[in-house]
Amino acid sequence: MNLPIGLRAKVVILSLFLLCLPWLGYEYVWEMEKYLRYGQEKTLEGTTQALATALHERPKLFDNQASFLNQVEKGRDLYAYPLAGPIQLDGKLSDWDLYQHRTLNYSDKHVIYQRSETEPIDISFSHMVGKYGGYLYGFFNVNDPNLIFRNRKSLRIDRNDHLVMATQSPDGQFRRYIIANTKSGWLSAFELPADPSQSMPVTPESRIQGQWLKTDKGYNIEFRLPLEMVGSKLGFAIHNVNDTKTRQLVNVIGTSATDSVASLGTVLVPSPEIENIIKGMSHNSSRIWVVDNHGRVLAKSGDIRSSSNTWADDIEVNQPDSFWLHFKQQYILPLYYKILTRPPQDFIDSLQDSTELTGSHIEKALSGKQGSTWRLTPDNKAVVLAAASPIWIDDKVMGVVIAEETTHGIRSLRNRALEKLFNVILTIMSMGTLALFIFASSISSRIRRLRDQAELAIDSQGRVRQQIVASKNRDEIGDLSRSFSSIVSRLGQYTHYLENMSSRLSHELRTPVAVVRSSLEHLGLQQLDEQSQKYVSRAQEGVSRLHLILNNLSEATRLEASLTQAESCRFSLKKVISGCMQGYQMTYPDQLFAVHIEDKVMSCDGVPEYIAQLMDKLINNAIEFHQPDSAITVSLAQYHKQAILKVSNIGPLLPKDMNSQIFESMVSIRPQGINGKPHLGLGLYIARLVTDFHHGSIKATNMIENGIEGVQICLTLPLSDEK
């Protein structure tokens, strides 16, 4: 016959099943996210390839962007940063504070001309150019301790501090311009002759506008000019004059030399044509970049902080307002998102204002292959996917299209999937918990019933009072119940045998003891020699002791039997104790008693004769152990609804751990042969039986006070309510 599966196996199997479900679901969601990321990567690569196809073989988009240079030199080759709005041309440079991180600094490392190598370079400047609308904006913050303005009466415009600007115009012509003011105010701009050896004649140039403002450390020049005046080549130079008398040129510091087209650096202005192309093809949540083969940004469109794309579409079906929907939004989802994280929109985008881009995906695209990469934002709040595709012109890579997206959409999809998974898990776990609770409750209730039966089967004295009903269930608890039932049954039989042994022995031994006793008495009446009389006396002494033992056994047995049938009545505990003490003083005239009985009624329900028998046992015990010439103290007092009876004597202390055992049957701490009387340890056992019958408690404690040792037995009995 196959035995049923054990309780432990059931719990383990059910627990493993419940734990596997959320783990499998969680792993599935993560695998799904991996495939979604792979799909997003391929989709973004396809987007860049489509945009790159629209830019293939269109060299005019790149000719003016200096993309054909072999190398870009920072400070010489300029980048016109896209401005957020027009600059107020007041010379104060406050509108440029937003772009301070784009400012370039020029000092003695950028000297183009120096009159004497021994003269120190005492000027420096910071500079930036930007693009807004159809204008190129720029500023120069010049540190010059000796500002020399142009002399109003002189026709020369180059014998003073001035700014020279040189460019190759879109029509391919080399053009030079000079800004030389007579005072702070609106710029005085002129076009210089194309021949760098000539500074005259000059032509006023009104298209160059701005302000010249004197400062504590030098001066500021803030200007703008139409983009149609600027080609792909551009250079600036600050000419420094320190002496108003000689007005000789001391040194020149600039972005590049301005004497020829070959000396000029390049300027990269973001291409509006390319920007118009990518605007029509960009995603709202994607950011599209087009860079040249030096990584410089030609155009940009889109914002990766937006979330209105295919991946981030709200997949939540419109649901009618319901209690479940309200409960989920108010309580369940906040609990879920203590573990999950919502995709933040306030992450730090380190590339938002970049003018140059680098990365493994761009390097791979510049080598002619598609590339992609993942990066984490500096604040670790977002993951950004970037894909790049090359732009081909005449079998050469002239630029790269880069598309960027965050994984917010995928994370939103993952969160929705995990929300549904958690809902399923919560439902299954709730049902499983309920099933386990019912299962555990049935187990615990069976265990409690078995415990209650075990506690009721044996009383505090170890006697078997009732049997345990064996369970018919074929599991571990059923086996345990049947084992307990069998044990208690066998224990009950043995206990019954022990309980009846004393009465049987007493009954069976009384007749032979009487025969022996009567025979010894008749033998004692005979004329015996001294030796024989000695043995007869010893035999009579032994028979007397045996008779006393039988009487003690009979007394305990009779008391236990009579307690079950005794009828209680109300009596005065004070009168019973007082009467007993008067009798003891007469019975033991040589013994000192110290009696302290509180003058209260102290009515008690029970049998006064049993209380008197209890007092006999306590006084006998105290007399046997008391120190000679010492008093036995007896006190009775009322505390709340209880009577406190104390019997104490001066004498040897109780052995360790014997405080409660001395009230058990057949337990005695007397040395063998004390007083020549046999002791079965039944006196205090009878006292405990009487105490239990009266629903009280009894205990023995050692007393040590002022070097005097003794034992005190304290009896507590409940008092009856006075009516």
Side-chain angles (χ1 to χ4, degrees):
M1 180 182 297
N2 294 328
L3 293 176
I5 299 176
L7 296 176
R8 184 182 301 174
K10 292 178 183 177
V11 173
V12 170
I13 292 174
L14 187 57
S15 301
L16 290 177
F17 174 73
L18 292 176
L19 289 176
C20 284
L21 286 178
W23 178 77
L24 290 174
Y26 188 75
E27 289 296 319
Y28 174 78
V29 171
W30 276 107
E31 287 296 322
M32 180 191 71
E33 182 179 0
K34 292 180 183 178
Y35 284 107
L36 288 176
R37 288 195 178 193
Y38 179 76
Q40 183 183 18
E41 184 175 352
K42 293 304 177 184
T43 301
L44 206 59
E45 287 181 357
T47 300
T48 59
Q49 188 173 10
L51 289 171
T53 302
L55 299 175
H56 284 339
E57 305 301 335
R58 301 179 68 174
K60 291 184 179 180
L61 296 176
F62 295 89
D63 284 348
N64 294 331
Q65 311 304 329
S67 296
F68 294 91
L69 291 176
N70 293 326
Q71 187 176 0
V72 173
E73 181 181 343
K74 186 175 182 180
R76 183 174 184 272
D77 298 300
L78 305 177
Y79 182 86
Y81 185 78
L83 302 176
I87 299 296
Q88 183 178 359
L89 301 175
D90 54 7
K92 297 180 180 180
L93 309 183
S94 58
D95 293 346
W96 298 93
D97 291 342
L98 184 63
Y99 314 102
Q100 285 298 320
H101 58 289
R102 304 297 177 188
T103 301
L104 300 176
N105 296 311
Y106 297 82
S107 58
D108 54 357
K109 296 181 180 179
H110 301 84
V111 175
I112 299 172
Y113 166 79
Q114 186 172 3
R115 181 178 63 182
S116 174
E117 295 183 358
T118 59
E119 289 188 70
I121 305 298
D122 58 352
I123 67 167
S124 62
F125 66 88
S126 57
H127 161 66
M128 177 184 168
V129 290
K131 172 225 172 185
Y132 180 79
Y135 290 94
L136 180 73
Y137 289 84
F139 78 87
F140 288 86
N141 180 13
V142 183
N143 294 320
D144 185 358
N146 300 304
L147 172 58
I148 306 298
F149 282 112
R150 176 165 58 91
N151 193 333
R152 296 181 180 180
K153 299 179 180 180
S154 174
L155 296 178
R156 298 289 298 269
I157 60 173
D158 58 346
R159 299 178 66 82
N160 46 265
D161 292 335
H162 60 273
L163 168 65
V164 174
M165 179 191 314
T167 182
Q168 185 181 24
S169 62
D171 59 5
Q173 299 297 318
F174 177 61
R175 299 185 182 278
R176 295 189 304 147
Y177 304 94
I178 185 172
I179 297 175
N181 274 32
T182 58
K183 62 179 181 178
S184 294
W186 196 252
L187 294 182
S188 298
F190 307 91
E191 182 177 357
L192 292 170
D195 186 355
S197 62
Q198 299 179 4
S199 60
M200 295 292 288
V202 295
T203 304
E205 180 54 76
S206 59
R207 292 179 297 176
I208 300 177
Q209 301 172 341
Q211 285 279 344
W212 184 308
L213 180 65
K214 183 179 179 181
T215 64
D216 295 337
K217 296 182 179 180
Y219 56 93
N220 295 335
I221 298 176
E222 194 172 29
F223 67 91
R224 77 172 186 180
L225 67 156
L227 285 175
E228 60 192 28
M229 295 176 59
V230 181
S232 60
K233 296 278 192 172
L234 182 65
F236 297 96
I238 295 291
H239 291 242
N240 180 36
V241 175
N242 289 335
D243 192 343
T244 56
K245 294 181 179 180
T246 62
R247 290 183 176 269
Q248 292 184 356
L249 183 63
V250 178
N251 46 45
V252 178
I253 295 179
T255 62
S256 66
T258 57
D259 55 353
S260 66
V261 174
S263 301
L264 297 178
T266 62
V267 60
L268 179 63
V269 180
S271 171
E273 295 86 356
I274 298 177
E275 189 170 327
N276 290 333
I277 293 173
I278 64 175
K279 271 185 178 180
M281 301 183 68
S282 63
H283 294 272
N284 289 334
S285 64
S286 298
R287 181 168 59 196
I288 308 297
W289 307 81
V290 177
V291 300
D292 63 9
N293 53 8
H294 302 295
R296 296 185 296 178
V297 177
L298 302 178
K300 182 183 76 169
S301 177
D303 184 7
I304 60 173
R305 286 192 174 89
S306 176
S307 60
S308 57
N309 72 337
T310 304
W311 298 102
D313 283 342
D314 189 5
I315 62 173
E316 190 73 36
V317 180
N318 292 329
Q319 298 179 358
D321 192 15
S322 63
F323 172 76
W324 165 247
L325 184 63
H326 176 74
F327 180 78
K328 182 175 71 172
Q329 292 177 347
Q330 292 294 324
Y331 301 102
I332 296 182
L333 292 184
L335 179 63
Y336 290 168
Y337 281 94
K338 289 185 179 297
I339 302 174
L340 304 176
T341 55
R342 297 184 185 274
Q345 299 297 327
D346 59 345
F347 59 88
I348 297 176
D349 181 13
S350 59
L351 300 183
Q352 182 177 3
D353 299 324
S354 296
T355 57
E356 294 184 15
L357 298 181
T358 58
S360 59
H361 58 303
I362 297 177
E363 294 176 359
K364 191 173 182 179
L366 290 174
S367 66
K369 300 177 182 179
Q370 282 189 329
S372 61
T373 185
W374 299 84
R375 77 171 188 272
L376 194 63
T377 57
D379 56 358
N380 297 332
K381 290 185 177 180
V383 177
V384 179
L385 168 64
S389 293
I391 301 173
W392 295 91
I393 297 177
D394 295 332
D395 296 328
K396 291 181 61 178
V397 177
M398 300 305 299
V400 175
V401 175
I402 304 159
E404 292 180 326
E405 279 185 359
T406 65
T407 59
H408 286 0
I410 290 179
R411 291 174 64 183
S412 297
L413 289 175
R414 181 200 66 189
N415 287 348
R416 299 291 170 81
L418 287 175
E419 287 175 16
K420 293 186 176 181
L421 174 64
F422 288 163
N423 289 337
V424 173
I425 291 173
L426 187 61
T427 303
I428 294 177
M429 295 297 288
S430 299
M431 296 175 61
T433 301
L434 180 61
L436 285 175
F437 177 77
I438 296 174
F439 182 61
S441 298
S442 64
I443 293 175
S444 61
S445 63
R446 291 171 59 193
I447 294 175
R448 284 196 299 270
R449 286 197 299 271
L450 182 59
R451 179 205 62 191
D452 295 340
Q453 291 184 35
E455 289 180 350
L456 295 174
I458 302 175
D459 62 10
S460 58
Q461 287 77 45
R463 291 173 295 188
V464 178
R465 293 302 185 189
Q466 65 182 33
Q467 296 296 320
I468 294 178
V469 180
S471 174
K472 297 181 180 180
N473 294 321
R474 299 179 60 83
D475 55 18
E476 286 85 346
I477 298 179
D479 292 340
L480 184 62
S481 174
R482 290 186 287 274
S483 298
F484 278 6
S485 177
S486 176
I487 292 171
V488 172
S489 177
R490 295 194 300 268
L491 184 60
Q493 296 174 5
Y494 183 68
T495 304
H496 180 71
Y497 168 75
L498 293 179
E499 289 176 347
N500 294 330
M501 179 181 291
S502 60
S503 60
R504 290 177 181 175
L505 286 175
S506 177
H507 177 73
E508 295 297 333
L509 291 177
R510 283 189 182 277
T511 300
V513 168
V515 172
V516 172
R517 188 171 188 177
S518 62
S519 299
L520 289 175
E521 288 177 352
H522 287 294
L523 187 60
L525 297 175
Q526 303 296 324
Q527 294 294 328
L528 300 175
D529 58 75
E530 184 178 354
Q531 187 70 19
S532 298
Q533 187 65 38
K534 177 180 179 182
Y535 288 115
V536 170
S537 299
R538 292 178 61 184
Q540 288 178 341
E541 181 181 351
V543 170
S544 298
R545 295 181 64 184
L546 184 58
H547 182 71
L548 181 60
I549 292 173
L550 294 176
N551 288 337
N552 290 337
L553 288 173
S554 299
E555 181 184 11
T557 303
R558 288 195 304 271
L559 180 62
E560 289 187 79
S562 61
L563 286 175
T564 59
Q565 301 176 355
E567 295 183 1
S568 298
C569 65
R570 183 164 297 181
F571 62 93
S572 174
L573 185 62
K574 171 186 174 183
K575 291 182 179 180
V576 174
I577 302 301
S578 299
C580 290
M581 293 310 302
Q582 291 174 6
Y584 299 145
Q585 289 175 347
M586 296 175 61
T587 305
Y588 306 102
D590 297 333
Q591 177 63 49
L592 296 176
F593 292 95
V595 182
H596 307 282
I597 299 178
E598 196 174 64
D599 189 14
K600 291 184 179 180
V601 178
M602 290 184 276
S603 298
C604 184
D605 291 332
V607 180
E609 290 79 9
Y610 291 160
I611 297 297
Q613 189 174 2
L614 178 146
M615 285 298 297
D616 292 342
K617 302 303 179 183
L618 296 183
I619 294 299
N620 287 335
N621 185 76
I623 291 175
E624 290 183 6
F625 286 96
H626 86 295
Q627 184 176 337
D629 300 329
S630 64
I632 294 175
T633 303
V634 178
S635 65
L636 177 65
Q638 180 178 345
Y639 180 75
H640 296 307
K641 293 184 179 183
Q642 292 181 328
I644 310 298
L645 174 63
K646 297 180 180 179
V647 178
S648 56
N649 65 274
I650 298 174
L653 298 176
L654 292 173
K656 187 177 181 182
D657 300 329
M658 289 296 292
N659 297 47
S660 59
Q661 295 183 24
I662 61 174
F663 296 101
E664 299 296 332
S665 177
M666 301 293 184
V667 175
S668 177
I669 60 175
R670 295 175 178 85
Q672 289 293 333
I674 185 172
N675 296 331
K677 297 180 180 181
H679 293 279
L680 300 180
L682 295 174
L684 294 182
Y685 171 67
I686 293 174
R688 196 202 70 193
L689 291 178
V690 175
T691 303
D692 292 343
F693 174 77
H694 289 85
H695 308 290
S697 62
I698 188 170
K699 63 180 180 178
T701 57
N702 290 323
M703 300 187 307
I704 302 176
E705 186 176 354
N706 299 325
I708 300 176
E709 298 179 346
V711 175
Q712 181 184 80
I713 295 179
C714 180
L715 175 67
T716 302
L717 294 176
L719 297 177
S720 302
D721 294 332
E722 296 295 333
K723 294 182 181 179

